[in-house]
Amino acid sequence: MGNPTGEQFELTRGSARAVVTEIGAGLRAFEIGGVPYLESFDADEKPPKGAGQVLLPWPNRTKDARWTHDGEPQQLKVTEQARGNAIHGLVRHEEWQLLEHAESSITMSIDIPEQEGWPVPLHAVITYDLAPRELTVTHQVRNDGDSPIGFGVGTHPYFRIGDVPTDDLTLTLPATRVRPYLADEQLPYGEERDVAGTEYDLRSGVRVGELDLDTAFGGLLPAADGRHHHLLAHESTTVEVWTDADFRWAQVFTPADLVGRGRAVAIEPMTCPADALNSGTDLITLAPAGTWTASWGVAVHL
């Protein structure tokens, strides 16, 4: 491959533009009228801090890279060496197969074979569909094995509003529960608790500059349309990250050192929290030949 993310697939619709990568099927760019609403990176670079990657068949971490399926211990490859965990699934560094590429949409697929630590094969499909001010991402997963399997799906986009400093953005989440980050723990997340009366209550909006998060938010309250709506705003511009009901969690990560940007904010739609392969929390269970489909998206309101 000429670069770490393989071929680059461009989508356009009106003044909107997005770029999807062959390796990992990740989202590398999303802009409208030349204004970026996603933290990007050069085509010849590795995605910094997981930027734009698809996290499947589990998001975040599996503690000690170990879990149990149908009574049988499973040992995944340790991919977070510093903590000894398996992080962000099995597909983010793999080549996805192109199924269809139109001017404003692309569909790709990948097979996740039975392997060490993952005993049931899956088939995954992802579709990116670009509208003039919105990008919709649809995930489909099929169980190609002979036994049921629980799994999770997540993505890792970092959002921005043009050149507005990240600290000046306001983040609003409809989350009533939180699993705080614990820097001295291996996993490293604490027990779930209510956000009311804590620094994690983002329901009325909080300036990003006041936040220091690598934190899972749950108990998401759906809007009238049945979706969850996470908002990143500055003055008259709002980036809306919406998710179908199955994306019951949102990880918020505010690193100070994203390559090329410095301070950044990731809003990561997830169907389950960290270590769900062990806890079972909100895992999606598929019977043999069963299929699951759900979507999330990002819309820009000016």
Side-chain angles (χ1 to χ4, degrees), residues 224-285:
D225 61 3
R227 291 172 168 173
H228 310 125
H229 297 266
H230 314 303
L231 308 177
L232 195 64
H234 181 263
E235 297 180 349
S236 62
T237 302
T238 299
V239 173
E240 172 197 350
V241 182
W242 60 264
T243 69
D244 282 350
D246 278 357
F247 287 93
R248 299 173 186 269
W249 295 81
Q251 186 85 11
V252 179
F253 181 34
T254 59
D257 57 350
L258 189 72
V259 174
R261 176 65 164 170
R263 178 76 153 162
V265 56
I267 305 170
E268 308 169 36
M270 305 190 305
T271 61
C272 59
D275 206 34
L277 292 181
N278 284 305
S279 69
T281 301
D282 291 330
L283 280 182
I284 299 162
T285 299

Side-chain angles (χ1 to χ4, degrees), residues 29-43:
F30 173 58
E31 59 187 46
I32 298 172
V35 177
Y37 294 97
L38 187 85
E39 301 290 0
S40 189
F41 53 94
D42 291 340

Side-chain angles (χ1 to χ4, degrees), residues 10-296:
E10 185 176 74
L11 311 180
T12 59
R13 180 85 176 268
S15 66
R17 174 180 176 269
V19 177
V20 176
T21 66
E22 178 184 28
I23 304 296
L27 182 61
R28 190 172 70 81
F30 173 58
E31 59 187 46
I32 298 172
V35 177
Y37 294 97
L38 187 85
E39 301 290 0
S40 189
F41 53 94
D42 291 340
D44 60 356
E45 295 178 334
K46 294 181 179 180
K49 296 185 184 296
Q53 293 186 320
V54 177
L55 318 177
L56 171 73
W58 72 88
N60 215 286
R61 296 159 175 87
T62 297
K63 184 175 174 60
D64 298 326
R66 297 173 183 170
W67 64 293
T68 300
H69 172 70
D70 199 22
E72 294 294 326
Q74 305 293 327
Q75 177 65 64
L76 294 158
K77 182 179 179 181
V78 174
T79 50
E80 187 186 39
Q81 297 294 331
R83 296 181 181 272
N85 299 319
I87 188 169
H88 289 335
L90 300 171
V91 302
R92 61 191 183 126
H93 302 301
E94 300 299 323
E95 181 178 330
W96 289 58
Q97 301 303 307
L98 177 64
L99 300 181
E100 183 178 2
H101 183 200
E103 181 179 2
S104 61
S105 66
I106 188 170
T107 299
M108 307 171 76
S109 71
I110 193 168
D111 289 313
I112 302 173
E114 179 181 346
Q115 59 192 278
E116 182 180 2
W118 191 260
V120 177
L122 299 175
H123 177 76
V125 177
I126 189 169
T127 297
Y128 291 90
D129 191 6
L130 186 64
R133 293 193 179 277
E134 184 172 10
L135 179 69
T136 298
V137 186
T138 300
H139 300 265
Q140 184 178 93
V141 180
R142 184 182 70 222
N143 182 348
D144 281 352
D146 298 325
S147 64
I149 185 71
F151 71 96
V153 177
T155 62
H156 208 300
Y158 294 82
F159 295 101
R160 66 189 293 172
I161 296 179
D163 293 327
V164 177
T166 301
D167 282 347
D168 291 342
L169 304 177
T170 296
L171 176 63
T172 304
L173 292 186
T176 62
R177 306 284 289 174
V178 65
R179 293 188 176 185
Y181 178 83
L182 302 174
D184 58 344
E185 294 291 330
Q186 184 180 22
L187 188 50
Y189 301 101
E191 292 297 320
E192 184 178 328
R193 55 189 169 111
D194 290 337
V195 302
T198 75
E199 62 190 290
Y200 302 106
D201 193 343
L202 308 182
R203 289 173 290 184
S204 297
V206 175
R207 183 175 175 271
V208 174
E210 300 174 18
L211 302 173
D212 182 13
L213 300 174
D214 186 359
T215 304
F217 291 86
L220 302 180
L221 298 176
D225 61 3
R227 291 172 168 173
H228 310 125
H229 297 266
H230 314 303
L231 308 177
L232 195 64
H234 181 263
E235 297 180 349
S236 62
T237 302
T238 299
V239 173
E240 172 197 350
V241 182
W242 60 264
T243 69
D244 282 350
D246 278 357
F247 287 93
R248 299 173 186 269
W249 295 81
Q251 186 85 11
V252 179
F253 181 34
T254 59
D257 57 350
L258 189 72
V259 174
R261 176 65 164 170
R263 178 76 153 162
V265 56
I267 305 170
E268 308 169 36
M270 305 190 305
T271 61
C272 59
D275 206 34
L277 292 181
N278 284 305
S279 69
T281 301
D282 291 330
L283 280 182
I284 299 162
T285 299
L286 283 181
T291 299
W292 168 88
T293 303
S295 299
W296 67 277

